[in-house]
């Protein structure tokens, strides 16, 4: 969920950090830091555009099939155009990095491939109600090949082999349903 709008009341979630579902050990420092960066970004950006009564709930684990993420739910009020919320929040650091414009530039400079279906938005507007979702973990089928689009949150605490494992878990959460 990027955001849900009901009149002037909005909700969003900050979602980052990944592990296998059912893991009993505590979340690692890297995942907690990653989640904190996303939550702080969302709250700060909402303040900048004039959102009011911003309330963030306690950090908790949210299941997403075969994996789980750290999550904060954030509620706020906003009287402007909902498209401003959409353009302000997307992409979050979980998708792009921070600072956002610098991170986007670095990605464009360093990556030699087209991200194609890496991320996007989809939403429904019905009167005064709007639901907008971030599209992540996409699949594309072409010429007898299945292309999987996933990513990992990279921080100073990242370990490349652990990030590779995380992207495999995310890919498996899609492909296990198909195969």
């Amino acid at each position: 969920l990027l955001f849900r709008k009901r009149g002037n009341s909005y909700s969003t979630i900050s979602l980052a950090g990944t592990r296998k579902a059912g893991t009993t050990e505590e979340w690692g420092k890297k995942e907690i830091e990653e989640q904190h960066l996303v939550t702080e970004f969302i709250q700060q950006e909402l303040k900048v555009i004039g959102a009011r009564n911003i309330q963030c709930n306690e950090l908790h684990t949210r299941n997403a099939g075969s994996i789980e993420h750290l999550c904060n739910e954030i509620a706020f009020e906003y009287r402007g155009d909902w498209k401003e919320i959409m353009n302000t929040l997307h992409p979050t650091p979980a998708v792009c990095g921070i600072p956002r414009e610098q991170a986007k530039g670095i990605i464009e400079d360093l990556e030699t491939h087209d991200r194609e279906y890496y991320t996007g938005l989809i939403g429904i507007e019905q009167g005064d109600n709007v639901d907008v979702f971030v599209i992540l973990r996409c699949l594309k089928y072409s010429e007898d090949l299945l292309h999987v689009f996933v990513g990992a949150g990279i921080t100073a605490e990242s370990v490349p082999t652990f990030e590779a494992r995380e992207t495999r878990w995310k890919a498996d959460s899609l492909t296990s349903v198909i195969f």
Side-chain angles (χ1 to χ4, degrees):
L1 176 69
L2 183 65
F3 70 85
R4 175 166 287 133
K5 174 188 182 301
R6 300 296 181 261
N8 294 326
S9 296
Y10 287 77
S11 61
T12 185
I13 61 172
S14 168
L15 198 69
T18 304
R19 69 181 186 188
K20 284 287 240 182
T23 301
T24 57
E25 55 196 54
E26 295 293 317
W27 283 95
K29 180 180 174 186
K30 181 262 182 186
E31 289 79 18
I32 293 169
E33 176 190 20
E34 182 182 351
Q35 171 62 19
H36 179 73
L37 291 170
V38 176
T39 303
E40 288 297 311
F41 168 86
I42 290 171
Q43 292 179 98
Q44 182 58 40
E45 292 299 308
L46 290 173
K47 288 176 189 172
V48 167
I49 63 168
R52 298 175 24 175
N53 298 325
I54 301 168
Q55 300 172 0
C56 183
N57 79 342
E58 293 294 316
L59 182 64
H60 62 279
T61 300
R62 186 175 185 134
N63 183 273
S66 62
I67 55 178
E68 16 185 65
H69 304 288
L70 286 169
C71 180
N72 289 98
E73 294 160 0
I74 302 167
F76 59 97
E77 295 176 9
Y78 185 68
R79 298 203 181 277
D81 185 349
W82 62 265
K83 292 178 186 104
E84 182 79 15
I85 299 291
M86 184 175 67
N87 293 328
T88 296
L89 295 183
H90 185 73
T92 70
V95 172
C96 178
I98 52 174
R100 182 166 45 193
E101 292 309 313
Q102 183 180 357
K104 284 165 100 176
I106 290 169
I107 290 167
E108 289 172 9
D109 290 344
L110 294 178
E111 290 186 356
T112 58
H113 63 283
D114 182 356
R115 283 190 165 202
E116 293 183 74
Y117 300 112
Y118 179 70
T119 188
L121 298 175
I122 189 167
I124 300 170
E125 178 182 17
Q126 293 181 315
D128 220 17
N129 298 335
V130 181
D131 295 301
V132 177
F133 297 88
V134 178
I135 302 169
L136 285 175
R137 299 186 199 129
C138 299
L139 300 170
K140 178 179 96 173
Y141 177 78
S142 66
E143 301 175 19
D144 297 325
L145 294 173
L146 184 64
H147 303 266
V148 181
F149 297 85
V150 298
I154 308 298
T155 72
E157 299 290 324
S158 291
V159 175
T161 55
F162 294 168
E163 298 303 332
R165 181 181 64 186
E166 179 180 316
T167 59
R168 172 54 58 197
W169 292 339
K170 290 175 181 178
D172 288 348
S173 74
L174 288 175
T175 58
S176 65
V177 176
I178 297 169
F179 302 109

